[in-house]
Amino acid sequence: MSVSKYWREIPHRYRLEAGKCKQCGKIYFPGRLICPECGGREFDTIQLKREGKLLTYTIIHVGPSRFADQVPYVVGIVELQDGVRLLCQVADCDLDRLQIGLPVKIEFRRISEEGEAGIIHYGYKCVPV
Amino acid sequence: MSRDVAIIGIGMSKWGELWDRSLRDIFVEAALAAIDDAGVDKIDSLYIGNMTAGLFTGQEHLAALLADYLGVAPIPATRVESACASGGLAVKMGYLEVALGMSEVVLVGGVEKMTDVGTDQATYALATAADQDYEVYHGITFPGLYAMMARLHMEKYGTTREQLAQVAVKNHYHGSMNPVAQYPQRITVEQVLNSVMIADPLRILDCSPITDGAAALILCPLELAKKISRKPPVKIIGIGHATDSIALHSRDDLTTLKATERAAQQAYRMAGIKPSDLDLAEVHDCFTIAEICVIEALGLVEKGQGGPATAAGMTTLGGKIPVNTSGGLKSKGHPVGATGVAQVVEIVTQLRGEAGPRQVANARLGLTQNMGGSGGSTLIHIMEVAS
Ligand SMILES: [Zn+2]
């Protein structure tokens, strides 16, 4: 992954920065330039709530090569308390505790390693509360 | 200013892992079959559905390349992309060109050559249909995205693991009667449930395969078709095309394929029909759960009833509305850019009464539904035998 492509995602990935429409209040993660709900073009930058619940999940047994050393790993869709949804890995969770509705919180973690140089990608994962 | 459009020729290449064949050769094989089937001696324009030849083979600029190898240059040629719905999009574009009077005879093709790269590169190429920065970055795969839909569908509607398996069993049963199917073997529910786990709860036999293949159609004005067609012309009477967020997590309801719902409403309205009028449908069963969500979005069954309806045989040949008589993506194969065109090939075959042992009795009205990614784009076509 190119440096610029990685670098420009850092505000969302590291700090969970989102855009809140000044006109209708809807929150977008990542931020956008126009609100699909109301057409508004002005946004406040906010930080997402870190607590939420698991809406659905899967356990990946066959993954891309960048994640091959992690299988099996859990990926889920989380709804945060401010209503925003995102997709991320579910970490530090026994498989028999996994269930729809599980309360989780977002943490900053290592996501994957790339190539021979072992460049590390960071970002958010969720863990059970 | 718009005129009726008919399909007068269909063609398929061989489908499978074609180590000895190139992308250009399989495309030309399908195109020549369609040209011969129609009996036309010239075409005016070419549309090609292809998802990502650049990533699968390193070749872009496909439209001109394929026009050259088909021997039809210098006619205009256009390649269109909408992930796994690229083929369906090519059909729509070909339809428009004929309907608007810009061309008389248009060849619509779809092609994907997927086995020139290894599994990991193929997985990467397919994953470009998902959101790279907010889905793929986190290690999700396409089986994983559909697995998350499946888990929620099971939780919300009580859909069972066995009902998911029934989709694969049915489609392999249909595919066993299709000479071009890549995997014509019949399978059992037990085999599906015991196959290798890919993304829980989906196993390898819930997933469509990696396939090399091409399909082609010849389109022309209905009035011309009535004069020159050697076989019953099939008229395109409804088209639907809609989009949704490509990121699954951005949708309000993770088990509703909104683009398919919207495209279906458009197509039914244009055709002046309702779902219960259909005699058969070819739908995008890239994974077993996809077919269940699609038949719900098309209104063939009530929301949440896709699983029980499938298990009860409603969508099996001989049932109320046979779905994927070709074997679907699951058994026939899924060369992504070719799939949407091949779905139309199956409907035309059925409406002509040429489907042999898998023929739907008295088939008059058929639908195709072709979907990109996890449902971010959908193309629907409704066809009937021209009277
Ligand atoms: Zn707004």
Side-chain angles (χ1 to χ4, degrees), chain B residues 35-364:
Chain B
I35 288 169
D36 292 347
D37 183 55
V40 292
D41 54 10
K42 78 170 196 35
I43 57 175
D44 302 317
S45 183
L46 176 61
Y47 281 89
I48 293 150
N50 174 264
M51 174 176 162
T52 183
L55 291 174
F56 281 128
T57 71
Q59 182 68 59
E60 299 288 13
H61 208 174
L62 276 192
L65 176 79
L66 298 180
D68 177 19
Y69 273 76
L70 186 59
V72 295
I75 68 166
T78 310
R79 173 263 188 97
V80 298
E81 186 273 322
S82 188
C84 320
S86 301
L89 182 55
V91 178
K92 176 190 172 183
M93 299 316 292
Y95 169 92
L96 286 177
E97 184 150 335
V98 174
L100 293 175
M102 293 181 70
S103 290
E104 293 303 298
V105 180
V106 171
L107 190 144
V108 171
V111 62
E112 210 78 50
K113 173 73 190 170
M114 302 174 73
T115 66
D116 276 1
V117 293
T119 307
D120 198 58
Q121 176 67 16
T123 304
Y124 169 78
L126 290 169
T128 60
D131 188 320
Q132 283 295 307
D133 293 328
Y134 293 90
E135 293 186 312
V136 180
Y137 183 83
H138 297 280
I140 196 66
T141 57
F142 265 105
L145 289 166
Y146 278 95
M148 289 196 289
M149 290 186 216
R151 184 169 317 276
L152 197 54
H153 205 279
M154 293 163 93
E155 170 98 0
K156 268 173 92 168
Y157 301 112
T159 305
T160 66
R161 209 14 289 206
E162 287 73 15
Q163 289 165 354
L164 293 176
Q166 290 286 0
V167 173
V169 170
K170 167 185 72 75
N171 290 347
H172 276 270
Y173 163 61
H174 291 162
S176 72
M177 295 176 274
N178 185 351
V180 304
Q182 180 181 12
Y183 290 105
Q185 304 84 345
R186 291 185 64 171
I187 59 171
T188 64
V189 168
E190 289 67 36
Q191 281 174 301
V192 180
L193 300 186
N194 292 318
S195 64
V196 173
M197 188 68 88
I198 301 293
D200 198 333
L202 298 184
R203 296 170 179 271
I204 187 89
L205 286 179
D206 289 295
C207 309
S208 55
I210 284 177
T211 311
D212 300 326
L217 311 169
I218 303 290
L219 272 50
C220 74
L222 180 61
E223 291 312 312
L224 178 63
K226 286 176 177 168
K227 287 185 206 130
I228 66 171
S229 185
R230 300 180 298 196
K231 293 181 173 168
V234 169
K235 184 178 162 190
I236 298 174
I237 59 168
I239 295 184
H241 183 187
T243 53
D244 197 353
S245 66
I246 74 169
L248 175 64
H249 60 264
S250 298
R251 300 182 200 156
D252 295 336
D253 179 351
L254 303 174
T255 60
T256 295
L257 296 166
K258 216 162 63 179
T260 293
E261 275 187 354
R262 173 63 69 90
Q265 287 158 11
Q266 286 173 9
Y268 292 142
R269 195 181 320 121
M270 179 174 164
I273 67 155
K274 49 190 189 305
S276 58
D277 296 331
L278 291 166
D279 296 313
L280 76 161
E282 286 285 301
V283 310
H284 201 90
D285 60 322
C286 48
F287 300 92
T288 48
I289 181 65
E291 179 169 314
I292 286 173
C293 293
V294 168
I295 62 176
E296 293 174 2
L298 291 176
L300 301 179
V301 296
E302 294 283 309
K303 181 85 196 144
Q305 292 306 303
T310 301
M314 178 183 157
T315 54
T316 308
L317 189 61
K320 187 174 149 213
I321 168 84
V323 171
N324 285 329
T325 53
S326 69
L329 285 55
K330 179 73 197 74
S331 164
K332 185 179 53 180
H334 184 28
V336 283
T339 283
V341 179
Q343 291 177 321
V344 174
V345 168
E346 174 68 9
I347 295 295
V348 172
T349 304
Q350 289 279 356
L351 297 185
R352 286 176 175 179
E354 293 178 345
R358 65 179 196 284
Q359 179 66 46
V360 174
N362 304 315
R364 304 286 305 170

Side-chain angles (χ1 to χ4, degrees), chain A residues 21-26 28 35-43:
Chain A
C21 177
K22 284 188 175 181
Q23 205 162 285
C24 75
K26 177 134 177 146
Y28 295 96
C35 173
E37 288 292 318
C38 75
R41 297 190 189 186
E42 288 186 48
F43 295 84

Side-chain angles (χ1 to χ4, degrees), chain A residues 5-6 9 12-13 30 55-59 61-62 65 67 73 75 85 87 89 100 111 121-122 124, chain B residues 120 133-135 137-141 144-145 147-148 151-152 155 197-200 248-249 251-252 254:
Chain A
K5 182 172 165 59
Y6 188 82
E9 299 295 333
H12 328 302
R13 267 194 200 130
L55 293 182
T56 184
Y57 64 92
T58 179
I59 306 161
H61 290 259
V62 178
S65 58
F67 293 84
Y73 57 93
V75 179
R85 293 171 173 194
L87 178 148
Q89 283 195 30
I100 289 173
I111 303 291
H121 297 163
Y122 292 97
Y124 47 86
Chain B
D120 198 58
D133 293 328
Y134 293 90
E135 293 186 312
Y137 183 83
H138 297 280
I140 196 66
T141 57
L145 289 166
M148 289 196 289
R151 184 169 317 276
L152 197 54
E155 170 98 0
M197 188 68 88
I198 301 293
D200 198 333
L248 175 64
H249 60 264
R251 300 182 200 156
D252 295 336
L254 303 174

